[in-house]
Amino acid sequence: MGGFFASALKEDCVFDLFFGTDYHSHLGTRRAGMVLYDTMKGFDRSIHNIENSPFRTKFDSDVQHMKGNLGIGVISDYEPQPLTLRSHHGTFAIATVGRINNRTELVNGILSERSTQFTEMSGGEINNTELVAALINEKENLIEGIRYAQEMIDGSMSILLLTPKGIYCARDKYGRTPLVIGRKEEGFCASFESFAYLNLGYVDYKILGPGEIVIMTPEAVTTLAAPGTEMKICTFLWVYYGYPASSYEGISVEGMRHRCGANLAKHDEISPDDIDVVAGVPDSGVAHAIGYANESGVPYSRPFIKYTPTWPRSFMPTIQSKRDFIARMKLIPVHELIKGRRILLIDDSIVRGTQLREKVDFLYRSGAKEVHIRPSCPPILFGCKYISFSRSTSEMELVARRIIDDLEGRHVEGDDLAPYLDPDSEEYARMIEGIRRQQGFTTLRYNRLDDMLDSVGLPKENLCTYCWNGKE
Amino acid sequence: MGGFFASALKEDCVFDLFFGTDYHSHLGTRRAGMVLYDTMKGFDRSIHNIENSPFRTKFDSDVQHMKGNLGIGVISDYEPQPLTLRSHHGTFAIATVGRINNRTELVNGILSERSTQFTEMSGGEINNTELVAALINEKENLIEGIRYAQEMIDGSMSILLLTPKGIYCARDKYGRTPLVIGRKEEGFCASFESFAYLNLGYVDYKILGPGEIVIMTPEAVTTLAAPGTEMKICTFLWVYYGYPASSYEGISVEGMRHRCGANLAKHDEISPDDIDVVAGVPDSGVAHAIGYANESGVPYSRPFIKYTPTWPRSFMPTIQSKRDFIARMKLIPVHELIKGRRILLIDDSIVRGTQLREKVDFLYRSGAKEVHIRPSCPPILFGCKYISFSRSTSEMELVARRIIDDLEGRHVEGDDLAPYLDPDSEEYARMIEGIRRQQGFTTLRYNRLDDMLDSVGLPKENLCTYCWNGKE
Amino acid sequence: MGGFFASALKEDCVFDLFFGTDYHSHLGTRRAGMVLYDTMKGFDRSIHNIENSPFRTKFDSDVQHMKGNLGIGVISDYEPQPLTLRSHHGTFAIATVGRINNRTELVNGILSERSTQFTEMSGGEINNTELVAALINEKENLIEGIRYAQEMIDGSMSILLLTPKGIYCARDKYGRTPLVIGRKEEGFCASFESFAYLNLGYVDYKILGPGEIVIMTPEAVTTLAAPGTEMKICTFLWVYYGYPASSYEGISVEGMRHRCGANLAKHDEISPDDIDVVAGVPDSGVAHAIGYANESGVPYSRPFIKYTPTWPRSFMPTIQSKRDFIARMKLIPVHELIKGRRILLIDDSIVRGTQLREKVDFLYRSGAKEVHIRPSCPPILFGCKYISFSRSTSEMELVARRIIDDLEGRHVEGDDLAPYLDPDSEEYARMIEGIRRQQGFTTLRYNRLDDMLDSVGLPKENLCTYCWNGKE
Amino acid sequence: MGGFFASALKEDCVFDLFFGTDYHSHLGTRRAGMVLYDTMKGFDRSIHNIENSPFRTKFDSDVQHMKGNLGIGVISDYEPQPLTLRSHHGTFAIATVGRINNRTELVNGILSERSTQFTEMSGGEINNTELVAALINEKENLIEGIRYAQEMIDGSMSILLLTPKGIYCARDKYGRTPLVIGRKEEGFCASFESFAYLNLGYVDYKILGPGEIVIMTPEAVTTLAAPGTEMKICTFLWVYYGYPASSYEGISVEGMRHRCGANLAKHDEISPDDIDVVAGVPDSGVAHAIGYANESGVPYSRPFIKYTPTWPRSFMPTIQSKRDFIARMKLIPVHELIKGRRILLIDDSIVRGTQLREKVDFLYRSGAKEVHIRPSCPPILFGCKYISFSRSTSEMELVARRIIDDLEGRHVEGDDLAPYLDPDSEEYARMIEGIRRQQGFTTLRYNRLDDMLDSVGLPKENLCTYCWNGKE
């Protein structure tokens, strides 16, 4: 994934940029960077590797020396960003969040036609953001360039582009990922996460529509390309990877999760008397579980605590031999809340099933009497092809698909999967029972697609449900 | 405060020491260190400043080169630790957790009598751990030395002392802070926090009693000085600063907080119908709030989210001018859960009142209709003099004391405070109303001392309640 | 200036690359970098700022992890280098040494015609090496591209270009800067400084001619473009900035300086009896002085010692206020060798005159009786326009030009300077006397152009003498 | 060895301390440190490892934040220094240069009598400077303490001791190492190397006598303990490890080396016509060679250049396997000056003979016709036991001693060595011929003890000659 933040103020914006970018740290694990533009000093850029050290530790000293009233910052799961470039558009800086499925074709196309070059190589790979810039540079002006890049890219691409005149902010064509504008007296900010500007004194100003492009200056935010009519925002933003304090399209993540958990509870067959506690897998399962507990009247509790003080993101220590071991160390059991209990455990989703199974095994070993699993979304049957989303994986690693193949004794694809999409079918029931048995859960019930979508509250055609029903 | 961890294994213990120490990061903010002893390499020590960088980032590379089957690690709020020393006891390493009220007297006593010297100075101050070592070195053998140090020190002092023969583990004289032993096939560990060894494969083996001293080797844990009969463990360990997944004296922190919140609810005068949601101030207020919500049937929710990915501990950026501003940035509001709501908010305690007031003001500004405050412990009337505890502060900064002086129009001390300790007195009621009005809460009700102590479940005489009733 | 080194071995070349590049540290002060190519790992690049830390300190840890049998390294006075790029030529790395006078025209030309982009910006400036790459990428193949770049660039440009198939080594069109090939059993190296490979076990293999392009693999060095017939190698390489242990065009720097000093002595009017000691300004003046002393029979001595242990290159401490002071701290006087002495002091050249004047003043203050100055080259009258050479400066900062203008009472340019080029003219004599008086030297005599060129020994038309006589 | 510097100014002394200490970098390779005392800030200390990075790189950023008008700095070959301590003398900082032969006895004595402790352990070893402090702390006041420490220590010990009242400067009992005071308007400095303060604006003020103790403040330097009458300054200071620009006891190092080389020439049997060039092994052999060349009339030249830009001190890269190889990389041959030449090569001394042999072999391989070796001191027959001097080594590693044993066919010790001390004896001649043949020199002639001592010019009884004649 990844996330970004931009600020355009009548005064120095480095403080806002530092914290606004830092607030996106949960979205990426590899690189982070900031570029500032100051009328006197020009462009100033800083990029660091954040794999084993938090954003704040790495950028704290840079911030002392950076200065400017326009700036963009990014947390990146992949390539080093932002880039500063010079082309016929002049000098500009660029940061992106998105996914490019047709990278090879685009690169080959560019290199076959023209004598351009890509310099931001890492391990032989071309930097995605540089590729986006190359596409933008094919056109006469920046607006056409950005639209062209978004048109050419198979996937999705949101862009922050900093020029001396202002910051171009472009949301991806179908609004799969969010981009919002905040306002305060001194100017404006643009952000992936809407919560990122709250503590910096901004209030909600504008939600960019799908494919909308604006230019942001300290004085104004002006639309350069109107939003498209078609929207397909990723439902998983609410279900799993969005920050609880954020809102997307004006709908609170925490609120959606409460409703989602409540919907799970409403249609659950299990009686509240048959469970002792409701719990959620941190972080994203927690709010779903609160919703379920509040609806059902079953006590909410935390049998796992997530250890946070020094475990920012996916710290990977150099002690190679123990990597798997370390991955398991983030959750700490509270034995008193596990022993002898019948636990209803809510996770946002089940992907490959391995992590959840480990947790459930651990609960049994710690003395849990029963473990009832309630994923807050339906079975995942398709890998994401629209955004760079970490739950996205090879489809045959999805536990639901593996169970289907087992049940049918053959590789099931395409239309043949249809029966398994219907929660009222016998096939669906067999699939669920297969997963339950294989995973060792006491009971298993997934949320229904409709219940989950109702929890968001947007028109269903505006929500991408590809992971669950393969609908493009 | 501060915390420590030790490991004695038949194999290299550096991995356990690294993570076991890291799991104490929530207890200290300034320095951290590890010492290992290896038969071939001898003592090997590493100390880092962790003020702006997590333990793991700082020690990750050291761990590659360190080696040994005995080791001690410490997270320290004050002095650099552990120290490696040579005295007539031979060479040893030492780490401490505690408080020394009579430091000047002890130093003067030592320097007036003998030609010793203190070398671990920081800013002209003598290192507390070096002072403890100096006291230990006054006696013939280490056991006598440790007992002597604990006897002489006014405050409390728990000690890990690493020698080539094994690790001496000494819990402070009255057991004010915890010290437990874990066991696995390869050996043993000693830890302040009991949860710190769970994910490392250890199981609970032994809780050290007050003043108990053991020597820990990979083969055995042998008691060298029997535990005392008197115990005064700090009740705030459960209420506030203990880690939720820990147990002290076998009693779970999370469990105690659930009972504590439930007790608050049981005796609350407010009707569940008059509040919309129950919430807790992260981190420690959360479990109290869950207990209250489960008991009262009022929905639990999270109007604040604590931003954790990159905000380990008390990061203090170099941008001096904005320090206050930054302190407020850790909690992020969820507007949808605040607007128009009647919120019952539980914090572990109220010290000076400034932080809580800021949060409540913020809730009002964000549209909260009512904010009812329920601290899970009684009013704090006395500053801690036994352990280095961050809630400890000058007594006249305590909001309850300031209100009492205001009410009486004079400085109230000693026995004159007695009426304010009785929750059924008129004076107590006036004090509470004074705090409520000054702080701007809709209603305010503190937990009763008995209800709080019942939530722990230990004999009352074993729990230190000095902060609340001045009983030594 | 700057310097570079490449290695192509049948085995891992990282050790040779590290030391071979380090041996060029005297040529640059800002950035250094290395790129390795390994069949399995692909391209691996490391770049560091070396302004306040030596190359070895900065790259020592990188070297542990880098690997490859082909590699290029560079010490750069300006831009970060080498770059790794992808273009229609595939992926390659490139390092350059040279000067581009027509950068703006080249950039504008490229940007106006095509949609290319420059990403390696520092402070808004386009990276010269990226510009060279952009020129190379305009042509069908690398050889044509390199020739085209050299053709288009006004200045000079030597190039190392690393591809998976081998390393292209191209000496600038008129051979203004050197490029030599060394050979050992395991393969080959290419180097600016010929001494850089001696201690690594290589022997002299081939001197590239002007504009010659070769491809170097572990097995062979193959000429791809034959050398041109015209050569204009910079004479200052021998006189001033070449390393004493190097040879250019097979002619030893130290040897040339001995002959140059000897020629100075041979034609000097001063009697050996009228001077007590001959001394040289470190570093480059030393060998000239040895040559003079050996020829004249006057004792050689060192009234100045250059402090080297921790003063690598142009260390510029952050204590801003004292920068000028610090610049003077590198030379340390030996009072015993100064007091009461008549010193003949040889410096390689006089540019602005300020530094030499400071040294001479210092000698007088330390008790020198007389200070006779003998620059080993003629008066500098023109600024270099061919290579990025630190002695090159604005012409009106040249002391000789300022004195001429003073003498004539007007700004003298072009053909009007002719009389001052003739060492036998009255104008020349007046200019020398003007400089002498202004600088406070006891006597002053410059080397004659012929004497200096004779000391090199190459045909005069192959040596660039632009600085002295303006001959292009 | 090691060296130190102190400054006491009416203004902030950090600038002087930084450069004054840095100028001692040639004397040590492992640790460096500075302590400042400021009336407001108290003591402030900074210590760094300088094994792979120069002093200036490591301390540049510290200097920004340090402040004080009293300060001491040290370059240390062994222990981390300076230390800051508190004892009955109050708080002070201490740095030392010296050697302690009876460390074990002193430590055991201290630990057996008293309950003191040593905390500055590195790898199990007690820090020498802490041991000195412990000795000083045994006495009532600092003067008595310093004298007592110097009395008890077998070896030598010079001390800088910083208190809020001023800096105690104590030269070792027999003045084996130097200690001088410089003065400028703003105050005073104390220094091992006299050249270290020249560029900082100080002039020579006072040479401390053997065992003299002074207290230095910004206002005055007051003698607290008068100098002793017996002096045994190390002759090797001039011959080998002193800095050329320094003077000891007022005698210039460079000047002594010139005279020493001249004396070698005067009594040499070889005719100037039989050698082509005179050369010196850098660094210390250079000035001896200049003296020889000037006296003999044989041209001086530099067949080796020492590579300095990035090779500060004994950089030891992490590429373990190539350490020997790397040690050889500091000297770079100048082939043109070697080929076909008859070279007379002067080194300061021959210890084990391995390094010189490597250089001579290299000269032969590079085409030298003859290599005549002239050490500027007599054969070393005894290892130093007075100062921590790197030429000091196990006596049986000394090439002269190994040859003697070979010649005699037994281990020769004590009085039996007498004949080999007499340069006119047959035994001496056989020893020299033995060394020459084993080392492969064309001819070999050592300087005579008298010629060397005459070059210094001090009364012979004031110079330690133990290395050469075993006279204590």
Side-chain angles (χ1 to χ4, degrees), chain B residues 255-267:
Chain B
M256 181 278 181
R257 289 177 185 170
H258 282 191
R259 290 189 295 274
C260 196
N263 281 351
L264 253 178
K266 269 182 218 153
H267 301 135

Side-chain angles (χ1 to χ4, degrees), chain D residues 379-391:
Chain D
I380 300 179
L381 289 166
F382 305 91
C384 176
K385 61 184 188 185
Y386 299 116
I387 59 177
S388 288
F389 171 35
S390 58
R391 294 268 129 147

Side-chain angles (χ1 to χ4, degrees), chain C residues 217-346:
Chain C
T217 68
E219 289 76 27
V221 172
T222 314
T223 292
L224 303 174
T229 51
E230 197 178 343
M231 165 175 289
K232 281 287 178 194
I233 187 166
C234 173
T235 310
F236 254 124
L237 276 166
W238 287 275
V239 173
Y240 160 60
Y241 64 85
Y243 199 75
S246 264
S247 292
Y248 309 116
E249 304 300 315
I251 294 160
S252 156
V253 169
E254 187 83 356
M256 180 277 182
R257 290 177 185 170
H258 282 191
R259 292 188 294 274
C260 194
N263 281 351
L264 253 177
K266 269 182 218 155
H267 301 133
D268 205 345
E269 302 107 38
I270 202 165
S271 158
D273 299 337
D274 293 340
I275 41 179
D276 297 315
V277 294
V278 173
V281 176
D283 293 333
S284 43
V286 166
H288 295 286
I290 291 170
Y292 191 107
N294 288 341
E295 176 68 26
S296 65
V298 179
Y300 168 71
S301 89
R302 305 190 295 179
F304 293 123
I305 304 289
K306 190 177 178 189
Y307 187 69
T308 46
T310 66
W311 295 64
R313 302 178 319 270
S314 59
F315 174 82
M316 265 303 129
T318 333
I319 312 178
Q320 297 272 355
S321 62
K322 306 233 178 173
R323 293 211 164 195
D324 288 345
F325 194 83
I326 290 161
R328 263 175 278 153
M329 296 183 72
K330 285 189 193 173
L331 292 187
I332 302 158
V334 183
H335 282 127
E336 186 175 310
L337 303 184
I338 298 172
K339 206 162 186 181
R341 301 280 175 103
R342 297 169 300 171
I343 299 166
L344 185 143
L345 183 65
I346 303 187

Side-chain angles (χ1 to χ4, degrees), chain A residues 280-326:
Chain A
V281 176
D283 291 334
S284 44
V286 166
H288 294 286
I290 290 170
Y292 191 106
N294 287 340
E295 175 69 27
S296 65
V298 180
Y300 168 70
S301 89
R302 304 190 296 177
F304 292 123
I305 305 289
K306 189 176 179 191
Y307 187 69
T308 46
T310 66
W311 295 65
R313 302 178 319 272
S314 59
F315 174 84
M316 265 302 130
T318 334
I319 311 177
Q320 296 273 354
S321 61
K322 306 234 179 174
R323 292 210 164 194
D324 288 344
F325 195 82
I326 289 161

